Amino acid sequence: MRNVHLWAHAPRKTPVRRSRVALRIGYSIPRIVLIACVAACAATLALLPQETLMAQSTATAANSQSTPTLTAAQLNESMLKLQRELLSKYGEGQKARIRTGLHQVVEFWRPEDGDAAVFENFVRTNFAGDQASLDTMFDRFQRMLEELDGHMHEISREFSAQQDLDLGPIQRYDEVFAGYDPSAHVIDDFFQNKLAFVVLLNFRLTTLEERINLGPKWTRREWAEARLAERFSKRIPAEVNLAIAQAAADSGSYIASYNIWMYHLVDDQGRRIFPPKMRLLSHWNLRDEIKADYADSANGLAKQRMIQQVMERIVTQSIPQVAIDDPHVDWNPFTNEVKPAAEQDSDAPARADLKITNAPEPDARYTTLLKDYRAARLADPYSPTAPTLIDRRFNEDREIPEERLRAMLEQVLTSPLVPQVAKLIEARLGRPLEPFDVWYSGFRAGNKYSEAELDAAVAKKYPTAEAYQKDIPNLLMKLGFAPERARYVASHIIVDPARGSGHAMGAQMRSESSHLRTRVEKNGMNYKGYNIAVHEMGHNVEQTFSLNDVDYTLLQGVPNTAFTEALAFVFQNQDLALLGLSSPDAQSEALKTLNDFWTTYEISGVALVDMAVWHWMYDHPEAKPEELRDATLQIAKDIWNRYYAPVFGKRDVVLLAIYSHMIDSFLYLPDYPIGHLIAFQVEEQMKKAGSIGPEFERMAKMGRVTPDLWMENATGKPVSADALLTATEDALKQVQAKQQ
Ligand SMILES: [Zn+2]
């Protein structure tokens, strides 16, 4: 049940591709959290980021011709004058604040913000030179920003209700309402009306290094001030945001139509081993088909080998262009031969201009990736404290330094447990590993209860969504929450009937509740819906504590979505116990752990490829698509050869570069393995603590500090791979003992 597929603040909802775009271009409200998780939505998770508000440096400020003149020299002169003036007014005690504040304002000031007189007047009026006025300012901004975030989120939630909830037909205008982002221009507005400058004049911007090294000693108020300032740490020009959004949209649509028609894959004997009409999106569906094929004892292996061949042709771009998303073409991925389809499984007519040749796809995969890179790079000059996309992802969004993250991935990849688990897989398969076995999915325990039994038990208990809502306090008490705390949390959760499978949508201000969207069929809730509801309820409980019980609303939330996912899985793992049934036994738990370990091993290599490719692009800014292709292949092979070839017995495999996220998600992949590590740490701590309730509340109230500091508070240790490795070692022993 860990399945930690993700971490991401999906800032809004639905069509998730769009929200990704919104995110990248710098959404203004950092944390509108909607969590639509569980199973199928791995692919849908948005990029996370506090990547937001971009900044403008003075170097580029001079661009605008139509505005009054204000030279850097004039600004500098004004700054020095003000520095002397404020110092004599407020005294030596304020010296550092005066200096920092002035520099921060100057850094972001553009000529259109006003001439030297406007600048000087602004500073004189808005510098809070004593503690009392600073306290007032802090409180006011905290309250106003909570109102702003909360109401913007409320609008978004209501505007997307028709689309999200089971409320009847969706009209075209409903989609437009759902797609509208009322907060899109907030940051621009705040620079224009100078509220952003008020913050920058009075509260210090911090670097990740400071947050990591000094953060543990900061007061909670200092943390809240750091988060306040951070909201205005970037001022990206609209045209740059647009260019990034365009690249994101283009790469998203390139990936969204990258389908393979499986019935039209033929082997050397001309056989079709996949069923008609099967159309798989790369890479998600292809990979999931490999996983499903372990259950097919007749053709599974042949199918898996064929899919691997298809994936390699996509990565190397030797795939014939006509074989992409076209049911009128038969393709042998081994010989690369293409022919007009000898059998039809689609009603769509063939394209009139369809010319069947095996001319390869012309490096479109790498052209698309290069366009992402070139667009992302446009923001670099406006982000002085994180001047590359790589910096922004690691230092701002994840808040885990790249080197530390890399070391954790390498710890998993080089663990002596890898060859041991590999051996176990070989024994279970009865054959040597093949490269596609990085997606081995056979660590499944038999179920104690049939799906029908579970469905019946759930439907009886929860015939309606209201029945579930009513039972929430009771469920929370079973999880160890005191009656009074259980009732308190339950009073902050509203259950809605979901149109899709279900999700949790937290609030952004304390006067609002969090929403649990769940699916209830006419004849009652089924087990699948219940399992999701329990997971989402975990999110709702976290959202309630981390908003309503955190000491400063500026710190509301968790460090990133991996943390809220970890907490939700703690709930989800208890779903059978909450039904009054017995929880999975030690053997099933052990198999699940081995599955998670193998998945983490696989995705860690994928993440390293993603990271190395972005570094290569930054090192080769003028690269051509074919050069990027060759570099990517080399990087994928090198990482394979180092960490996988020793257990797979085959070198130079390029499969690690197949993930579609690499092409459309701007360095998102490292989030996955870290999510697994965090889930294990939280779970280990829960086991240690014994009772979930009080421990859950204690963890969730920490709010949005750095991942390491949050984890220190939660478990006594920073984020690390140790918990996963320890659990895997125990699981191996359990499974091996059972086999003997
Ligand atoms: Zn979730």
Side-chain angles (χ1 to χ4, degrees):
M1 300 276 155
R2 262 178 236 100
N3 306 320
V4 176
H5 29 260
L6 49 79
W7 60 332
H9 298 300
R12 300 170 39 78
K13 261 244 66 187
T14 10
V16 179
R17 293 232 166 251
R18 189 194 45 69
S19 33
R20 258 190 198 166
V21 172
L23 259 173
R24 282 193 204 111
I25 62 177
Y27 60 93
S28 41
I29 293 186
R31 300 192 63 263
I32 291 193
V33 179
L34 162 112
I35 298 182
C37 25
V38 189
C41 70
T44 68
L45 280 165
L47 274 184
L48 188 169
Q50 267 71 283
E51 154 111 357
T52 33
L53 338 172
M54 305 284 240
Q56 160 91 338
S57 69
T58 40
T60 39
N63 285 346
S64 180
Q65 303 115 333
S66 60
T67 42
T69 54
L70 173 70
T71 64
Q74 285 171 325
L75 207 53
N76 203 39
E77 196 181 309
S78 287
M79 184 170 75
L80 293 172
K81 185 165 90 187
L82 286 162
Q83 210 161 294
R84 286 191 297 272
E85 200 180 305
L86 295 176
L87 192 60
S88 74
K89 185 167 175 191
Y90 297 110
E92 282 292 317
Q94 295 292 326
K95 189 172 180 180
R97 284 194 63 240
I98 292 167
R99 179 184 286 248
T100 304
L102 282 168
H103 274 97
Q104 289 183 169
V105 171
V106 165
E107 172 119 55
F108 290 86
W109 196 273
R110 295 178 189 169
E112 66 266 32
D113 294 320
D115 59 17
V118 173
F119 170 75
E120 289 173 24
N121 188 40
F122 169 82
V123 170
R124 285 188 194 104
T125 314
N126 291 289
F127 183 74
D130 60 81
Q131 195 58 43
S133 31
L134 190 65
D135 289 349
T136 303
M137 180 184 283
F138 172 85
D139 289 343
R140 193 94 84 244
F141 269 87
Q142 171 163 258
R143 197 172 87 72
M144 293 308 174
L145 291 175
E146 184 194 346
E147 289 293 324
L148 178 73
D149 292 353
H151 286 291
M152 288 294 184
H153 175 70
E154 187 185 9
I155 293 170
S156 292
R157 191 191 62 226
E158 291 303 319
F159 274 28
S160 56
Q162 187 66 29
Q163 191 170 277
D164 292 346
L165 301 182
D166 191 13
L167 298 174
I170 300 173
Q171 308 298 337
R172 176 65 196 129
Y173 50 79
D174 292 319
E175 292 171 15
V176 179
F177 274 117
Y180 175 70
D181 179 0
S183 64
H185 303 107
V186 163
I187 289 301
D188 285 343
D189 294 347
F190 270 51
F191 273 101
Q192 215 158 55
N193 65 21
K194 298 198 172 54
L195 285 170
F197 286 112
V198 175
V199 171
L200 290 166
L201 180 62
N202 289 285
F203 301 98
R204 202 167 63 83
L205 290 169
T206 57
T207 62
L208 176 63
E209 213 183 341
E210 288 172 319
R211 292 193 294 278
I212 287 176
N213 296 328
L214 309 176
K217 294 193 192 84
W218 286 348
T219 61
R220 295 285 293 175
R221 161 77 181 259
E222 284 175 301
W223 263 106
E225 290 186 4
R227 293 307 190 201
L228 170 58
E230 207 173 85
R231 291 176 68 125
F232 306 101
S233 68
K234 293 183 179 59
R235 190 184 186 184
I236 294 192
E239 66 273 17
V240 170
N241 280 333
L242 263 176
I244 296 172
Q246 189 59 52
D250 291 349
S251 59
S253 69
Y254 169 73
I255 288 299
S257 57
Y258 210 110
N259 293 292
I260 303 295
W261 287 79
M262 304 305 280
Y263 187 57
H264 297 280
L265 298 181
V266 293
D267 67 11
D268 293 347
Q269 280 78 48
R271 279 182 313 204
R272 296 165 199 277
I273 52 177
F274 292 96
K277 295 184 190 295
M278 183 185 244
R279 181 171 174 251
L280 300 184
L281 182 65
S282 180
H283 75 286
W284 295 279
N285 299 157
L286 291 172
R287 177 201 59 192
D288 291 346
E289 178 61 26
I290 286 179
K291 292 184 173 209
D293 288 338
Y294 285 102
D296 177 354
S297 53
N299 280 326
L301 188 57
K303 288 176 175 173
Q304 290 167 327
R305 286 176 176 155
M306 197 177 250
I307 294 174
Q308 178 183 327
Q309 186 66 24
V310 169
M311 287 176 157
E312 288 176 348
R313 293 227 177 257
I314 294 171
V315 172
T316 59
Q317 291 284 277
S318 58
I319 182 171
Q321 176 72 51
V322 294
I324 303 165
D325 204 16
D326 198 327
H328 301 288
V329 179
D330 285 346
W331 174 38
N332 178 333
F334 297 96
T335 62
N336 225 15
E337 194 185 355
V338 286
K339 285 184 186 163
E343 308 235 6
Q344 300 302 325
D345 65 340
S346 158
D347 298 334
R351 281 185 289 130
D353 61 344
L354 179 62
K355 248 182 47 206
I356 299 187
T357 81
N358 75 345
E361 183 183 19
D363 289 322
R365 184 175 177 85
Y366 299 99
T367 304
T368 306
L369 178 53
L370 271 180
K371 285 186 183 160
D372 289 347
Y373 157 67
R374 293 199 170 121
R377 200 176 60 184
L378 296 175
D380 293 356
Y382 308 101
S383 178
T385 50
T388 68
L389 179 99
I390 302 170
D391 294 332
R392 293 191 284 279
R393 280 286 168 269
F394 285 97
N395 298 355
E396 297 183 342
D397 305 337
R398 295 185 184 105
E399 295 199 297
I400 298 175
E402 185 180 8
E403 276 322 300
R404 228 175 83 61
L405 192 144
R406 188 194 314 278
M408 287 190 269
L409 302 190
E410 284 170 355
Q411 192 188 346
V412 173
L413 288 164
T414 58
S415 161
L417 295 167
V418 169
Q420 294 178 47
V421 176
K423 230 183 221 120
L424 183 65
I425 295 174
E426 287 189 333
R428 291 168 76 92
L429 289 171
R431 61 166 171 78
L433 292 184
E434 300 199 25
F436 60 78
D437 290 317
V438 289
W439 293 300
Y440 176 70
S441 68
F443 287 126
R444 294 266 164 76
N447 287 329
K448 204 179 317 176
Y449 305 102
S450 72
E451 192 82 7
E453 278 175 288
L454 293 171
D455 283 349
V458 171
K460 186 163 168 242
K461 204 166 174 198
Y462 304 119
T464 60
E466 296 75 56
Y468 187 89
Q469 166 115 42
K470 248 194 182 144
D471 202 33
I472 291 177
N474 190 30
L475 294 172
L476 295 178
M477 283 185 266
K478 283 188 188 161
L479 290 169
F481 290 92
E484 168 263 324
R485 296 309 282 161
R487 280 192 296 272
Y488 163 79
V489 178
S491 72
H492 286 84
I493 301 174
I494 293 172
V495 179
D496 300 322
R499 185 181 290 277
S501 64
H503 58 260
M505 189 185 270
Q508 295 284 303
M509 60 182 179
R510 288 177 176 176
S511 53
E512 288 260 302
S513 292
S514 76
H515 288 246
L516 194 171
R517 270 81 187 266
T518 182
R519 193 167 177 83
V520 180
E521 307 296 338
K522 289 217 163 43
N523 44 359
M525 202 181 241
N526 61 27
Y527 173 69
K528 200 172 170 200
Y530 164 76
N531 176 273
I532 293 172
V534 174
H535 173 101
E536 305 304 341
M537 184 174 70
H539 286 308
N540 293 124
V541 175
E542 174 272 295
Q543 288 159 350
T544 301
F545 287 131
S546 69
L547 170 63
N548 295 278
D549 295 76
V550 71
D551 43 7
Y552 292 97
T553 53
L554 286 165
L555 291 174
Q556 68 172 276
V558 286
N560 56 55
T561 309
F563 289 80
T564 184
E565 287 304 329
L567 290 168
F569 284 120
V570 168
F571 270 46
Q572 196 176 356
N573 286 338
Q574 301 297 319
D575 69 330
L576 291 179
L578 288 174
L579 270 184
L581 304 174
S582 58
S583 292
D585 59 17
Q587 182 71 3
S588 326
E589 290 288 347
L591 290 172
K592 233 164 44 189
T593 297
L594 294 180
N595 181 62
D596 286 346
F597 172 75
W598 196 249
T599 304
T600 311
Y601 167 60
E602 176 260 334
I603 198 75
S604 292
V606 169
L608 288 183
V609 172
D610 200 14
M611 288 154 65
V613 167
W614 273 89
H615 276 286
W616 190 90
M617 290 191 289
Y618 264 100
D619 292 343
H620 301 83
E622 303 307 323
K624 296 188 176 63
E626 60 271 23
E627 293 168 329
L628 175 59
R629 176 198 63 209
D630 292 346
T632 302
L633 296 180
Q634 195 55 51
I635 287 166
K637 285 180 196 171
D638 287 347
I639 289 170
W640 178 273
N641 290 345
R642 190 170 320 152
Y643 302 114
Y644 299 83
V647 292
F648 285 84
K650 185 161 191 267
R651 291 179 61 80
D652 292 338
V653 173
V654 298
L655 279 187
L656 296 171
I658 188 61
Y659 272 65
S660 291
H661 307 80
M662 268 188 68
I663 308 305
D664 76 345
S665 296
F666 295 67
L667 200 43
Y668 173 69
L669 284 162
D671 291 351
Y672 286 97
I674 290 301
H676 285 281
L677 306 188
I678 288 167
F680 271 90
Q681 280 184 285
V682 166
E683 191 180 282
E684 185 186 53
Q685 178 65 23
M686 289 292 175
K687 280 185 187 150
K688 233 187 262 175
S691 178
I692 290 173
E695 195 65 358
F696 193 102
E697 180 170 353
R698 184 182 71 80
M699 289 181 182
K701 275 157 54 173
M702 185 68 177
R704 198 164 60 84
V705 292
T706 55
D708 281 336
L709 187 54
W710 193 97
M711 197 58 91
E712 288 268 6
N713 175 69
T715 72
K717 285 184 202 141
V719 176
S720 112
D722 294 347
L724 168 68
L725 297 179
T726 308
T728 304
E729 208 173 338
D730 294 345
L732 255 181
K733 281 185 202 137
Q734 160 76 31
V735 171
Q736 283 160 347
K738 191 91 177 183
Q739 278 177 342
Q740 277 152 14

